[in-house]
Structure formats: structure tokens, C-alpha cells
Amino acid sequence: MSSLHLYETMSGLTGQMVDAARAEDWDRLCELEQEVAGLRNRLVSEDPITAPQGLSDPALRERKLTLIRRMLEDDRTVRSYTEPWMESVRSFLAAGTRTRNVRMAYQAFGE
């Protein structure tokens, strides 16, 4: 698989991540995130920044830049859905911790 094909595949997956985030399908989002991470790792080994293949071709370079920009935009969109959800989870967990601490304090007081 060429490095350009890896970029294209990753871009398609990040688009699917946006769809999963919009649908609040967190399991699917995690699966896609793992797939992207695997391709990213592969890309790093096959197309290192120190000696990228094909950057002398302006059309190829522009295509890669377009794909990278799209992936970055998809990432921003995914974060716009996940960050509020993560904050609500943090609040939920914090409330549970406070409740447990109060319960433990009253148990200790009652003994």
C-alpha cells in the first residue's frame, strides 16, 4: 500500500469517526480510532518525515496536504462531540465520589 493510499484510508476513517461521534456511538469511535492509530504507525515507518517519498511531485504533495487538513478538521469535529461527553462523565464520577465520601464520613461518625 502506498503512503498516499494510507493517507486516503486514514482520511476515510476519520470521516467515519465524525459520523460515530455525531451518533454517540462511542464503541465504534474507539474501534475507528484504533484503526487510524495502526495506519498512522504504519505510515510513520513507511513514509518517514526525514525522507518522505514523492514530495518532489507537487500534485502528490498537495493531495497529501489536503488529506492531512481534512483529518485535522475531522479531529476537531470529533472533539467537539467527545469533550462535552467526557465532561459529563467527569461530573458524574465526581458526584459519585462525593456521595461515597459523605457516606463514609457518616459511617465513621456513627461508629
Side-chain angles (χ1 to χ4, degrees):
M1 183 180 300
S2 72
S3 66
L4 182 59
H5 186 70
L6 286 171
Y7 282 101
E8 289 172 341
T9 302
M10 288 173 64
S11 180
L13 290 171
T14 61
Q16 291 178 44
M17 289 172 67
V18 169
D19 295 338
R22 282 185 180 134
E24 297 183 3
D25 187 348
W26 309 124
D27 292 334
R28 179 69 178 142
L29 180 62
C30 289
E31 291 169 5
L32 292 164
E33 189 175 44
Q34 289 175 358
E35 287 183 55
V36 169
L39 291 172
R40 182 201 60 231
N41 293 341
R42 185 171 166 194
L43 184 62
V44 167
S45 68
E46 293 181 12
D47 192 19
I49 291 185
T50 56
Q53 303 276 327
L55 285 183
S56 60
D57 180 351
L60 179 58
R61 182 175 50 245
E62 187 57 37
R63 178 68 180 143
K64 283 183 180 182
L65 287 172
T66 299
L67 291 167
I68 290 168
R69 287 182 189 118
R70 183 178 305 147
M71 287 185 276
L72 291 171
E73 181 58 34
D74 287 345
D75 180 65
R76 279 189 290 277
T77 302
V78 167
R79 280 187 280 121
S80 76
Y81 288 94
T82 59
E83 287 174 354
W85 176 80
M86 289 176 64
E87 187 55 40
S88 69
V89 170
R90 278 188 208 98
S91 296
F92 173 76
L93 293 175
T97 299
R98 282 190 300 273
T99 301
R100 185 180 70 241
N101 290 343
V102 168
R103 191 175 315 133
M104 288 173 57
Y106 278 104
Q107 286 174 350
F109 182 71
E111 292 177 356

